[in-house]
């Protein structure tokens, strides 16, 4: 049977799919995965998962991200700023910082 | 811990008999690892599955690495790689016959049983070297031990699974019948054994390690339905094969293997081994 293998480089990071191994059971899958997927790249941990146990939904079945225009999510409205507007933004930011500082000072 | 006063000095500070014993011990260790690894590589692209192929190739690589650590300590005495391997008389090798036997054609049970018998022995041998009176040996044990757990796990997992099937169990038993006597050679003395013990180069005798090895392998094999040779524990000498390798007396298979192992070196007309890796001492620095 086929076991999908997921490798984690450092503690706390995601386990990322890196390939698979053929093995009769979990113990042998872990044994083989160490050599096949954990030996030549930095590895902190490996997961082995029976291929049959993985649920999949693909682009044929689902419209990932929906079908209507949601480009507002990308905040691309800011990409066409001209220089004058950039100055205005910078000024506004520094005013805001001054105000923050003043209010922080007031609290002391 | 061996007392400080019992500790031997560096390579240049040894008396003649001390040096002879250190060399004899290192040849046993290094030759076992090299020759078994050389045999393992015959499974490359021929093992039952891609996964088992890679796992055994990996084990072979580990054993070659261990051989290198031991041969490197022989280089302290002025030998180079050509002296130690490529131009050495095959009759001067001191590995146990278990390492040199050819695999039965396509018999994975042979590879699995051989590896199990050897790797349990190697574990005991390394434990007895961890506090060796020669610091250059003791210092390298930990590095090797850290790779050995995988070897034993691999062999045991395979044994357990093959033993679960009637036809495979028969093949395992045939491999045990054939290989167990040659595994006894691992515990046979080669040169200067008495001095090795007296100097504390190893903290266990060969006989004591053999008993420990019996304590582990016999119950485990029996738990799988496999029988070691009858009476082996009570009278190992009766089971031990005539040719054990440790004394330089090898099977004809060794000459053929040595010939093949050194063929490229000779065909290229080399006089020294090509160096591709830093000295282990430099790599550690």
């Amino acid at each position: 049977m086929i076991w999908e293998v997921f490798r984690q480089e450092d503690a706390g990071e995601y386990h990322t799919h890196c390939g698979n191994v053929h093995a009769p059971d979990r113990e042998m899958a872990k044994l083989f995965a160490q050599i096949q997927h954990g030996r030549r790249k930095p590895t902190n941990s490996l997961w082995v998962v029976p291929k049959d146990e993985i649920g999949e939904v693909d682009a044929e079945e689902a419209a990932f991200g929906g079908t209507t225009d949601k480009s507002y999510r990308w905040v691309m409205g800011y990409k066409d700023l001209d220089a004058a507007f950039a100055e205005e933004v910078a000024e506004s930011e520094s005013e805001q910082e001054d105000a923050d500082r003043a209010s922080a000072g007031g609290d002391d | 811990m061996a007392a400080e006063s019992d500790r031997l000095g560096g390579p240049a500070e040894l008396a003649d008999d001390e040096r002879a014993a250190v060399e004899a011990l290192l040849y046993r260790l290094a030759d076992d690892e090299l020759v078994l690894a050389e045999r393992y590589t015959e499974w490359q692209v021929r093992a039952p599955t891609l996964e088992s192929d890679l796992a055994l190739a990996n084990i072979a690589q580990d054993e070659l690495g261990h051989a290198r650590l031991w041969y490197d300590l022989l280089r302290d005495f002025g030998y180079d790689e050509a002296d130690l391997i490529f131009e050495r008389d095959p009759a001067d090798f001191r590995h146990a016959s278990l390492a040199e036997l050819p695999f039965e054609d396509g018999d994975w049970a042979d590879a699995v049983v051989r590896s199990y018998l050897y790797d349990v022995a190697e574990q005991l041998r390394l434990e007895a070297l961890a506090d060796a009176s020669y610091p250059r040996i003791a210092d390298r044990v930990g590095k090797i031990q850290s790779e050995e757990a995988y070897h034993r796990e691999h062999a045991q997992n395979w044994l357990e699974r093959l033993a679960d099937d009637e036809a495979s169990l028969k093949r395992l038993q045939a491999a045990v019948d054939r290989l167990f006597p040659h595994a006894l050679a691992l515990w046979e003395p080669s040169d200067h054994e008495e001095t090795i013990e007296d100097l504390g180069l190893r903290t266990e005798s060969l006989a004591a390690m053999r008993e420990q090895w019996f304590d582990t392998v016999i119950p485990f094999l029996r738990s799988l339905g496999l029988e070691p040779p009858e009476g082996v524990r009570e009278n190992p000498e009766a089971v031990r094969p005539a040719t054990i390798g440790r004394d330089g007396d090898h099977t004809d298979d060794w000459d053929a293997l040595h010939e093949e192992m050194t063929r490229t070196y000779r065909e290229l007309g080399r006089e020294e081994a090509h160096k591709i890796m830093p000295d282990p001492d430099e790599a550690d620095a």
Side-chain angles (χ1 to χ4, degrees):
Chain A
M1 82 189 257
I2 296 176
W3 297 72
E4 297 298 336
V5 183
F6 299 76
R7 186 170 56 87
Q8 181 197 50
E9 283 198 12
D10 288 306
E13 291 185 355
Y14 287 117
H15 283 74
T16 309
H17 185 239
C18 59
N20 56 33
V21 290
H22 287 70
D25 52 53
R26 190 184 305 275
E27 197 178 16
M28 292 303 277
K30 288 197 286 186
L31 197 70
F32 291 147
Q34 285 176 54
I35 298 308
Q36 222 153 308
H37 299 290
R39 186 170 158 91
R40 297 201 175 181
K41 290 180 182 161
T43 304
N44 180 64
S45 152
L46 291 175
W47 287 345
V48 293
V49 181
K51 190 182 177 68
D52 292 347
E53 293 297 318
I54 292 179
E56 180 182 4
V57 52
D58 64 16
E60 277 188 19
E61 300 166 63
F64 294 115
T67 52
T68 55
D69 182 3
K70 297 183 185 68
S71 57
Y72 56 84
R73 291 167 172 168
W74 302 333
V75 208
M76 293 306 276
Y78 292 104
K79 79 175 179 182
D80 296 326
L81 300 182
D82 61 28
F85 190 63
E87 276 170 32
E88 196 182 322
V89 170
E91 274 170 30
S92 161
E93 276 178 357
S94 72
E95 275 172 33
Q96 186 63 44
E97 281 165 20
D98 289 343
D100 287 346
R101 228 171 279 135
S103 77
D107 288 341
D108 286 340
Chain B
M1 289 281 288
E4 274 313 305
S5 58
D6 296 333
R7 294 252 171 232
L8 298 173
E13 300 159 67
L14 299 180
D16 286 351
D17 63 329
E18 293 171 341
R19 175 177 156 168
V22 168
E23 285 192 19
L25 177 60
L26 287 169
Y27 276 118
R28 293 170 62 95
L29 296 168
D31 292 348
D32 274 353
E33 300 278 53
L34 172 71
V35 175
L36 187 60
E38 186 69 18
R39 275 293 181 218
Y40 280 156
T41 58
E42 293 176 3
W43 280 101
Q44 198 84 99
V45 309
R46 291 183 178 84
T49 64
L50 177 63
E51 282 74 8
S52 49
D53 192 305
L54 292 173
L56 194 64
N58 165 68
I59 291 170
Q61 259 187 356
D62 287 347
E63 304 296 30
L64 283 174
H66 305 167
R68 192 163 171 271
L69 288 174
W70 298 137
Y71 283 127
D72 181 61
L73 297 188
L74 283 160
R75 289 178 58 222
D76 291 349
F77 301 114
Y79 307 108
D80 62 23
E81 201 172 316
D83 301 327
L84 294 167
I85 301 173
F86 296 103
E87 295 178 22
R88 191 158 144 223
D89 185 336
D92 288 342
F93 280 74
R94 289 291 181 269
H95 56 271
S97 50
L98 180 75
E100 75 191 34
L101 295 182
F103 290 107
E104 289 285 298
D105 196 22
D107 189 10
W108 184 243
D110 182 316
V112 168
V113 169
R114 190 181 308 209
S115 152
Y116 174 69
L117 296 176
Y118 181 78
D119 288 321
V120 173
E122 192 178 4
Q123 178 184 24
L124 294 167
R125 175 165 89 185
L126 289 169
E127 283 167 4
L129 292 171
D131 198 26
S133 58
Y134 186 60
R136 293 278 282 160
I137 289 180
D139 289 349
R140 294 193 169 185
V141 170
K143 202 176 217 180
I144 298 177
Q145 278 174 323
S146 63
E147 289 185 327
E148 284 297 321
Y150 185 91
H151 300 187
R152 291 190 301 277
E153 195 185 344
H154 178 261
Q156 287 173 19
N157 281 350
W158 266 109
L159 281 173
E160 286 165 359
R161 281 156 186 81
L162 292 177
D164 224 19
D165 173 90
E166 204 180 328
S168 304
L169 185 67
K170 273 188 191 151
R171 294 178 80 166
L172 287 177
Q173 184 62 60
V176 169
D177 294 345
R178 194 170 88 96
L179 297 172
F180 204 103
H182 286 282
L184 295 175
L186 291 166
W187 309 117
E188 289 297 318
S190 40
D191 313 297
H192 306 287
E193 179 56 34
E194 212 171 305
T195 323
I196 290 173
E197 272 191 45
D198 290 347
L199 290 175
L201 293 178
R202 200 200 297 111
T203 52
E204 292 276 6
S205 71
L206 291 170
M209 286 193 290
R210 187 172 66 187
E211 283 307 305
Q212 293 166 19
W213 182 76
F214 283 147
D215 284 341
T216 302
V217 300
I218 292 179
F220 182 68
L221 291 176
R222 287 206 170 124
S223 75
L224 301 174
L226 295 164
E227 252 328 287
E230 200 184 336
V232 65
R233 182 149 207 173
E234 297 70 29
N235 191 6
E237 282 68 29
V239 175
R240 194 187 54 200
T243 306
I244 54 165
R246 283 285 189 234
D247 48 2
D249 182 22
H250 294 280
T251 63
D252 293 343
D253 297 313
W254 166 237
D255 285 334
L257 182 61
H258 183 270
E259 168 87 11
E260 190 182 308
M261 190 172 82
T262 56
R263 180 178 300 154
T264 307
Y265 178 89
R266 280 178 284 106
E267 276 177 2
L268 295 177
R270 288 258 166 86
E271 285 171 4
E272 59 181 344
H274 186 53
K275 191 179 172 184
I276 55 171
M277 283 161 72
D279 184 282
D281 290 310
E282 290 164 26
D284 285 343

